[in-house]
Amino acid sequence: MVNQSSPVGFLLLGFSEHPQLEKVLFVVVLCSYLLTLLGNTLILLLSTLDPRLHSPMYFFLSNLSFLDLCFTTTCVPQMLFNLWGPEKTISFLGCFVQLFIFLSLGTTECILLAVMAFDRYVAVCQPLHYATIIHPRLCCQLAAVAWTIGLVESVVQTPSTLRLPFCPHHQVDDFVCEVPALIRLSCGDTTYNEIQMAIASVFILVVPLSLILVSYGAIARAVLRISSAKGRRKAFGTCSSHLIVVTLFYSSVIAVYLQPKNPYARERGKFFGLFYAVGTPSLNPLIYTLRNKEVKRAFRRLLWKEVKPG
């Protein structure tokens, strides 16, 4: 049986078969969300208030922090509601909004991480020309391109996904309204949607990741040519935080969107999807602040300014 009309809502199953695990996940997700709010808001404040952080690297980092704040706020409140109680439903409109923003911001992050890799490549491989190449206008243009590509991808893929003929039970085997889970829910022909998702995966995952790998290949060669150990450590230190973030983000996204079609992979994909939606946005600020002396100094300057009398 196929429901040709738009459903009233969906049932987000998540880990509903394991109620005890849901209680544990509720605490983990809540703590991660609070860390996300605190850490990314702090980075936005520091990047805005401290003149020493008014550089291309921190401009892109503040874009990433703002994106992560919006990304998690799109899905985490609904996720917490579903994990806490027996009610697992989301309205059709709520699913549309969640999917639209989720796709848009997820795509934007893929492009933005590639842009940040290019910024690090110029900083390490062309340090004398860095200020000339990565000027403020180019930074704004690259950020605008990332956000625009995310918006276009969502405008194309969201309506086609939610126009699918869904099975009457409307049970989405996931925490959120994601494209792979909604395609699995369809009782009709999903060939067009699967081809669309495959093409999108190539342009949004494979191409940016390839550019990142090429950038870091060039960075590695440049670092190895530096004669002093101190110089190599300093050059590597400018890239290590971004490299860790890229690894965490892309490994989880690839596990969600390029997983094989079997029940084991689907269950494993839920954990990767949870990490992709909640884990990486909470870890990004920690990675950038704990490994970045400039951010730590800016934080100390902000605290000193707040406690300094007069």
Side-chain angles (χ1 to χ4, degrees):
M1 292 180 64
V2 174
N3 181 13
Q4 298 291 349
S5 61
S6 295
V8 175
F10 296 99
L11 189 67
L12 298 173
L13 296 180
F15 286 103
S16 54
E17 295 180 356
H18 309 283
Q20 295 305 316
L21 178 60
E22 285 191 317
K23 302 304 179 188
V24 175
L25 288 176
F26 176 87
V27 176
V28 172
V29 170
L30 178 61
C31 292
S32 297
Y33 184 50
L34 293 176
L35 279 174
T36 299
L37 294 177
L38 179 64
N40 286 292
T41 302
L42 178 62
I43 286 178
L44 282 172
L45 283 173
L46 293 176
S47 300
T48 304
L49 299 176
D50 196 311
R52 300 183 194 184
L53 298 186
H54 291 175
S55 66
M57 176 182 172
Y58 295 104
F59 170 76
F60 294 128
L61 180 57
S62 62
N63 270 264
L64 182 63
S65 293
F66 177 71
L67 186 151
D68 282 340
L69 284 172
C70 298
F71 190 76
T72 52
T73 303
T74 301
C75 61
V76 170
Q78 177 75 43
M79 195 183 297
L80 290 172
F81 178 77
N82 291 349
L83 286 171
W84 182 251
E87 186 68 30
K88 312 289 183 187
T89 57
I90 183 172
S91 67
F92 182 80
L93 178 60
C95 186
F96 177 88
V97 172
Q98 188 180 82
L99 179 63
F100 186 89
I101 299 176
F102 213 72
L103 269 177
S104 177
L105 297 182
T107 301
T108 301
E109 184 157 0
C110 290
I111 308 301
L112 191 59
L113 289 174
V115 169
M116 294 172 76
F118 171 69
D119 171 69
R120 293 299 85 206
Y121 160 77
V122 177
V124 174
C125 300
Q126 303 286 335
L128 299 178
H129 303 286
Y130 179 76
T132 306
I133 298 172
I134 310 293
H135 51 80
R137 185 180 175 186
L138 179 64
C139 291
C140 293
Q141 289 171 340
L142 291 173
V145 166
W147 287 94
T148 302
I149 291 174
L151 181 62
V152 170
E153 158 62 11
S154 191
V155 167
V156 170
Q157 200 161 0
T158 299
S160 64
T161 302
L162 289 175
R163 276 201 300 264
L164 284 168
F166 296 113
C167 296
H169 57 76
H170 299 158
Q171 295 179 354
V172 180
D173 192 18
D174 210 331
F175 289 99
V176 294
C177 290
E178 276 268 51
V179 173
L182 289 169
I183 288 177
R184 290 195 300 268
L185 178 61
S186 175
C187 290
D189 183 15
T190 61
T191 304
Y192 169 76
N193 298 83
E194 290 177 7
I195 292 173
Q196 187 184 58
M197 188 171 72
I199 293 171
S201 297
V202 170
F203 284 102
I204 294 165
L205 293 178
V206 178
V207 172
L209 182 58
S210 299
L211 293 175
I212 291 170
L213 293 176
V214 169
S215 297
Y216 275 103
I219 288 170
R221 288 195 299 271
V223 170
L224 291 175
R225 285 199 297 266
I226 298 174
S227 56
S228 69
K230 184 179 178 181
R232 285 196 297 269
R233 283 197 301 271
K234 183 178 179 181
F236 180 73
T238 63
C239 306
S240 58
S241 297
H242 179 254
L243 190 57
I244 293 170
V245 168
V246 165
T247 303
L248 292 174
F249 177 79
Y250 271 96
S251 59
S252 56
V253 172
I254 289 171
V256 171
Y257 282 92
L258 301 180
Q259 58 179 295
K261 293 183 177 180
N262 61 68
Y264 171 73
R266 197 154 58 238
E267 286 299 308
R268 185 183 60 188
K270 288 183 188 179
F271 283 104
F272 280 111
L274 188 66
F275 183 75
Y276 156 60
V278 181
T280 52
S282 64
L283 290 175
N284 288 354
L286 292 176
I287 294 167
Y288 278 109
T289 53
L290 292 178
R291 300 182 62 85
N292 192 307
K293 292 180 180 179
E294 289 183 11
V295 174
K296 286 189 280 189
R297 290 192 194 106
F299 182 57
R300 284 195 292 268
R301 285 194 295 269
L302 181 64
L303 287 179
W304 174 249
K305 190 182 295 183
E306 292 295 328
V307 299
K308 189 176 179 180

